[in-house]
Amino acid sequence: MNHEHTVVDPVAELRDLRVVVGGRAIVDGVSLRVRPGRVTALIGASGSGKTTTGLALLGEYPAGAHVTGDVRVAADGLVGYVPQHPAAALNPARRVSALLTDIARAQVRRLPVRQRRAAARERVLRALEEAQLPESEALLRRYPHQLSGGQQQRVVLAQALLLGARVVVADEPTTGQDALTKSRIVEQLTAVAARGIAVVLLSHDLDVVRALADEVVVLRAGRVVESGPARRVLLSPRHEWTRELLDDRAESPDPDDPAAGEPVLRVRGLTARHRDGARGTAVVLRAPELDLYPGRSLAVVGRSGSGKTTLARCLAGLHRDHDGEVLLDGTPLPRSLRDRGRAQLAAVQYVFQDAHAAFDEHRPVVQQVARTAVRLRGTDPDTATREALTTLAGLGLPEELAHRHPGRLSGGELQRAALARALLARPRVLICDEITSGLDTLTRRGILDVLTALVRDRGNLSLVLITHDLDTAALAHRVAVLDAGELVEQGPARQVLTAPSHPFTVSLTETTARLTAGT
C-alpha cells in the first residue's frame, strides 16, 4: 500500500510485551502501534512469535504463559481474528449459511421481526463478497469439511467482517490460495483498510506483504530485529536476518530432462463428486488423462476449490466417490484406502497441508514416524525407531526434537516430521498437499530443496506437488492446471508457466507476475 497518512492515535498498542512459556520467552520485548486504516505486517520464520504477538491484541495467550508489558485496545476497538488453520475456527457440524447467519442475526436483533431475516441475509451476502467468496446456494449448503482450505479461510474472513471489527488480525490469510485469489484478498484487505479498519497481517507470503503493507515488523526468536516503512524494509533491509529472510531462492531440477519408462501412476477418465446435501452429488473434478513417471515430479496448480486436493485424495484412496481409474504400474488401485493392501498403501503416501492436525498430540513424534515402518513394512519397533531417527535427522530434525510431542515443534519442523513418516513407507509416489503454503521463505526453501533432492537422488520416487504457488510449481518437471474442476492444460513446467496456451493459465501467470512486482 505505502500510502501517506496523517498520524492518528493507535487503535491498539503493545508496549514491551513479554510472553514466557515453560521458562522460554516466545515474545520478548515487542512494542507495536496499530493505527486505523494502516496495514502492519509482521514477518519472520516459523516460531518467531508472530502469532503470539497477534493474539495478544485479542487478550489470548498460550496455556501457562507468564505475560508482562501493556496491551491497550481502544474502547470501541473490537478485534477480529482470521486464523492460519481455518478449519479449527469453523464448527464442523454446521453449514456455512448457519455459521454466517448466526453472527448476522445477532447484529440485526433490534430491527422489527419482519425485517431481520432480509437484513441478516444482506449482511451475509455482503461479507461473502468482501471476502472474495462468491455466494452460491451450493456453497452455503456445504459443511466446512466440504470446502477447500482457501474457501474455509475466506469463510472465517467473512465472519470477522460480519463482526464489524476495528482491527483485523489476519494470520496467513492467503495460505493455500492461488495468485488470482491472493490478488482479490489483497484488494479486499486494501478496501478494509480504506474504511479506517486497522489490519495486522501475519504472513510468510512476501508478495502479499509487498502489495499490502504500510509498515513491516521483522521478528526473530520473539524479538523485533527491524521495523519501519514497508518500502524501506523490503527494498533496503538493514539487518542481516531480514536480508536472509527475503531471499526465497530454491534449487530447481532440469525441467527439460525427459521422462523415461512407463508411468508409475496413471489417471484415466477420472470424474469425482462431492455430496451436495439433499440434492445428491455434484461433479467437482474431471481429469481424462494424467501420467506420473518414475523419478519425476508433477505440480498440480489452480484456484482454491478447483479440485487440486480432490485429485490428490483420489490418488491416495481418501476420496472414493469417483468414476474412472487410478493405476499403479498398470494395475487399478481400489478407490478406498480401506480396500488397498499393505503394499498399495505403502506405495502411495500423502502428506497433508495441516501438519499439526496430522499428528497425535499425546505421543512423541518419533513414535508416530516409526509406526509407518511397523504397520506398512512389518519392521520391528526398535529397528523402526532407529530408521525414524535417521530419516528425521536427514531432513533436519535432530533426535532431541524428534522425542518431543507435536505441540512443541514449529510448523516447519512438523512438516519435516510428516515427510519422514511418509518416507518410512518407502513409497513409489509421494503426494504433498500445499505443505509449504503456510511456511516462511527460509523454511519453505529448505523443504523444497529436500523434496527436489529426494526425487533426484532416490530415482524411483515420484512426487505430486499440490500447490497454489507458481514459483513452487516451477520446481517440478511437469505441471497440470485445474480450473473449476476441469484439467485445462498440462505439459513441461517451463512450457506451461512461460508460454501457457489456455486463457486461465495465462491469467494465473500474469496475476502472479503482478503480485511479485507488488502491483
Side-chain angles (χ1 to χ4, degrees):
M1 290 176 66
N2 304 311
H3 302 315
E4 295 296 329
H5 287 261
T6 302
V7 176
V8 295
D9 291 336
V11 68
E13 185 174 5
L14 304 179
R15 292 183 181 178
D16 197 26
L17 177 69
R18 195 165 192 267
V19 181
V20 179
V21 178
R24 182 173 69 93
I26 56 178
V27 171
D28 194 359
V30 171
S31 296
L32 183 70
R33 286 188 168 189
V34 180
R35 300 184 187 280
R38 304 278 284 179
V39 178
T40 303
L42 274 58
I43 65 174
S46 298
S48 62
K50 298 187 302 297
T51 296
T52 302
T53 301
L55 286 173
L57 294 170
L58 288 85
E60 296 185 8
Y61 303 95
H66 176 67
V67 181
T68 58
D70 293 330
V71 179
R72 300 183 180 184
V73 179
D76 60 345
L78 178 66
V79 181
Y81 180 62
V82 182
Q84 180 176 357
H85 302 296
L90 298 172
N91 186 336
R94 308 207 70 198
R95 300 182 192 272
V96 172
S97 59
L99 293 172
L100 297 175
T101 302
D102 282 353
I103 299 173
R105 283 175 177 166
Q107 295 175 328
V108 300
R109 63 181 181 273
R110 294 184 179 179
L111 293 177
V113 174
R114 293 181 180 180
Q115 299 178 18
R116 290 179 191 171
R117 183 173 181 178
R121 174 77 174 180
E122 181 182 350
R123 285 174 178 255
V124 167
L125 298 184
R126 184 167 64 247
L128 287 171
E129 181 180 358
E130 291 174 343
Q132 307 300 328
L133 193 63
E135 182 271 339
S136 73
E137 289 299 327
L139 184 140
L140 288 172
R141 286 196 303 270
R142 290 180 185 172
Y143 291 95
H145 73 274
Q146 295 174 318
L147 304 178
S148 71
Q151 289 171 326
Q152 290 175 347
Q153 191 84 277
R154 281 172 277 159
V155 169
V156 176
L157 180 56
Q159 288 180 320
L161 295 172
L162 275 170
L163 288 169
R166 290 280 311 281
V167 180
V168 172
V169 178
D171 193 349
E172 299 289 354
T174 56
T175 291
Q177 301 204 24
D178 60 278
L180 294 170
T181 305
K182 280 187 190 181
S183 180
R184 292 194 177 98
I185 291 294
V186 167
E187 293 172 0
Q188 189 275 321
L189 290 178
T190 299
V192 168
R195 296 202 299 269
I197 298 173
V199 177
V200 178
L201 176 67
L202 318 178
S203 184
H204 298 125
D205 192 327
L206 296 179
D207 289 340
V208 171
V209 172
R210 291 185 185 100
L212 268 175
D214 295 298
E215 306 285 335
V216 170
V217 177
V218 184
L219 292 172
R220 184 184 189 187
R223 289 180 173 269
V224 176
V225 298
E226 186 166 2
S227 64
R231 186 178 300 276
R232 200 277 302 161
V233 173
L234 297 175
L235 295 180
S236 302
R238 295 169 181 168
H239 196 281
E240 176 59 31
W241 172 250
T242 309
R243 290 192 287 271
E244 187 176 353
L245 190 67
L246 297 179
D247 180 8
D248 62 353
R249 291 170 296 180
E251 295 182 8
S252 178
D254 180 0
D256 296 324
D257 187 13
E262 293 296 316
V264 61
L265 202 67
R266 284 183 166 178
V267 171
R268 293 294 182 268
L270 182 67
T271 301
R273 301 173 179 82
H274 276 320
R275 298 286 178 186
D276 191 16
R279 300 191 179 189
T281 60
V283 173
V284 294
L285 173 67
R286 289 186 177 90
E289 186 173 341
L290 194 62
D291 292 331
L292 178 66
Y293 287 86
R296 297 294 181 267
S297 51
L298 170 70
V300 182
V301 303
R303 296 186 62 179
S304 300
S306 64
K308 301 188 302 293
T309 292
T310 298
L311 172 61
R313 291 174 66 85
C314 287
L315 300 180
L318 296 171
H319 184 94
R320 60 184 180 181
D321 193 359
H322 68 80
D323 298 325
E325 289 184 323
V326 177
L327 301 100
L328 178 69
D329 294 325
T331 301
L333 286 170
R335 289 186 177 87
S336 173
L337 84 171
R338 295 180 180 179
D339 299 322
R340 296 185 181 184
R342 192 162 69 172
Q344 292 173 325
L345 290 172
V348 182
Q349 286 288 297
Y350 196 110
V351 184
F352 293 89
Q353 176 178 356
D354 185 355
H356 288 274
F359 281 91
D360 179 353
E361 286 292 329
H362 304 291
R363 291 192 296 145
V365 165
V366 66
Q367 290 183 11
Q368 300 182 61
V369 172
R371 173 124 179 96
T372 296
V374 174
R375 185 171 61 90
L376 295 182
R377 291 173 34 225
T379 309
D380 69 86
D382 289 342
T383 301
T385 298
R386 289 195 296 272
E387 187 176 342
L389 289 172
T390 300
T391 304
L392 287 164
L395 294 176
L397 210 64
E399 184 170 349
E400 188 272 327
L401 295 180
H403 284 287
R404 291 183 179 181
H405 286 68
R408 296 184 60 200
L409 299 184
S410 70
E413 290 165 344
L414 272 183
Q415 280 294 12
R416 291 173 186 268
L419 274 174
R421 181 170 59 184
L423 291 173
L424 252 67
R426 296 182 183 172
R428 301 282 310 286
V429 177
L430 182 65
I431 302 170
C432 296
D433 189 356
E434 296 282 13
I435 68 169
T436 62
S437 62
L439 302 178
D440 62 272
T441 52
L442 292 173
T443 307
R444 169 186 171 275
R445 185 170 71 235
I447 287 182
L448 290 176
D449 285 347
V450 165
L451 290 174
T452 301
L454 285 170
V455 173
R456 180 189 65 226
D457 297 340
R458 294 203 173 195
N460 65 342
L461 176 66
S462 301
L463 174 67
V464 178
L465 195 59
I466 306 298
T467 182
H468 67 279
D469 180 29
L470 297 192
D471 288 337
T472 298
L475 302 177
H477 294 94
R478 293 179 64 82
V479 170
V481 183
L482 292 175
D483 180 31
E486 301 287 342
L487 180 59
V488 297
E489 185 168 1
Q490 60 177 305
R494 180 174 296 175
Q495 172 188 315
V496 172
L497 298 178
T498 62
S501 60
H502 192 276
F504 172 75
T505 316
V506 172
S507 177
L508 197 63
T509 56
E510 289 179 348
T511 304
T512 298
R514 288 196 299 271
L515 275 175
T516 302
T519 59

